[in-house]
Amino acid sequence: MLEIRDLTVGIGDATILENVNLTLPEGELHVLLGPNGSGKSSLLATIMGLPPFAIHAGEIFFHGSPIQDLDLHERARLGIGLAYQRPPSIDGVSLHGFAQALGADDQLVAHAKALDLSDFLDRDMNVGFSGGEIKRWEVLKLMLQDPRLLMFDEPESGVDLEHVIDVGEAIARVVRAPDRDGRTCSGLVITHTGLILNHVKADRAHIIKDGRILHSGDPQTLFAHVQTGGYTVPAA
């Protein structure tokens, strides 16, 4: 689904990511573990094609084809989607109107109910939403977009414990299910607290620090190591 080879990324003269290598097979869900400022969000933004991140070296492949020279909208049309950590508020665009524009109006009600957002359908996107409501809407928005590669930037951050379960179950459901054309999906999740691991079955985890991926392995084992040993390479 996704292959990143020797990726180095910067903003201006500052290097943000250096020699990153990562492979995400079809049908798998991977998590990124790392401290604040480690490059987690920058990596997802680079995959999505967001400014101001510039690729200085390396390649990104989606289903075997390079995408690093494609614009953001071209990557989205290929089937890459991102649930943002801090999305903007958009006056005048309701959740219902957004779903209609996507041609996903028939999916909205069921998905909104599962995420406790049924009363939000006529409200403008993120306007007056709490932090947890914004995160739940980001997950719902991605479900409506129906991408094959689903990326989530700290989906449990700011969400109360009750709704973390809803968010986790929604992520597990959408990543493990085929898209509307019956094709296999994959997921990449940034987690800072690790709470999401209680509600989604991740296949692999990667520790990222100072813009480099230090180690990859079993998600529960690595998260347990992070809790006791910090963001370091576990002893052999």
Side-chain angles (χ1 to χ4, degrees):
M1 180 75 75
L2 177 72
E3 184 179 3
I4 298 172
R5 299 179 188 170
D6 301 320
L7 184 69
T8 296
V9 173
I11 298 177
D13 295 330
T15 298
I16 308 299
L17 300 166
E18 189 169 6
N19 295 326
V20 171
N21 290 276
L22 187 148
T23 299
L24 175 61
E26 285 193 8
E28 290 196 4
L29 175 66
H30 289 199
V31 295
L32 290 171
L33 304 169
N36 291 331
S38 60
K40 304 186 300 298
S41 296
S42 299
L43 179 57
L44 296 196
T46 301
I47 295 169
M48 194 71 243
L50 295 172
F53 301 96
I55 295 176
H56 295 164
E59 297 173 293
I60 305 173
F61 293 87
F62 182 66
H63 283 288
S65 298
I67 63 169
Q68 64 271 5
D69 294 327
L70 299 181
D71 290 335
L72 187 157
H73 70 279
E74 294 174 303
R75 301 185 199 198
R77 286 175 177 163
L78 285 177
I80 301 173
L82 173 63
Y84 294 86
Q85 184 179 165
R86 299 182 183 87
S89 299
I90 304 179
D91 290 302
V93 180
S94 68
L95 275 59
H96 187 258
F98 181 83
Q100 284 184 317
L102 288 175
D105 204 28
D106 58 332
Q107 306 289 319
L108 178 63
V109 174
H111 289 325
K113 183 177 180 180
L115 285 162
D116 196 19
L117 289 171
S118 297
D119 295 335
F120 288 69
L121 304 189
D122 293 320
R123 291 179 58 177
D124 290 349
M125 289 173 56
N126 297 322
V127 177
F129 287 21
S130 69
E133 290 163 354
I134 287 174
K135 290 299 178 70
R136 279 149 50 209
W137 163 240
E138 278 299 293
V139 174
L140 173 54
K141 176 175 65 68
L142 208 56
M143 295 170 80
L144 297 174
Q145 289 175 294
D146 195 38
R148 294 191 67 193
L149 173 60
L150 302 101
M151 301 187 293
F152 302 87
D153 193 347
E154 295 195 19
E156 80 274 43
S157 177
V159 181
D160 60 71
L161 291 177
E162 178 183 1
H163 287 113
V164 165
I165 298 173
D166 295 336
V167 169
E169 289 178 347
I171 291 173
R173 186 167 59 251
V174 71
V175 171
R176 299 303 183 186
D179 70 2
R180 290 173 197 157
D181 294 322
R183 299 174 299 181
T184 303
C185 298
S186 300
L188 187 58
V189 181
I190 291 174
T191 178
H192 190 64
T193 67
L195 285 175
I196 205 71
L197 292 174
N198 295 326
H199 310 290
V200 299
K201 186 182 184 302
D203 297 287
R204 195 162 179 81
H206 311 275
I207 293 178
I208 182 169
K209 186 177 181 182
D210 298 328
R212 294 174 175 266
I213 292 183
L214 302 181
H215 186 79
S216 302
D218 174 74
Q220 294 292 347
T221 301
L222 279 191
F223 185 62
H225 166 75
V226 167
Q227 289 178 299
T228 57
Y231 298 102
T232 60
V233 177

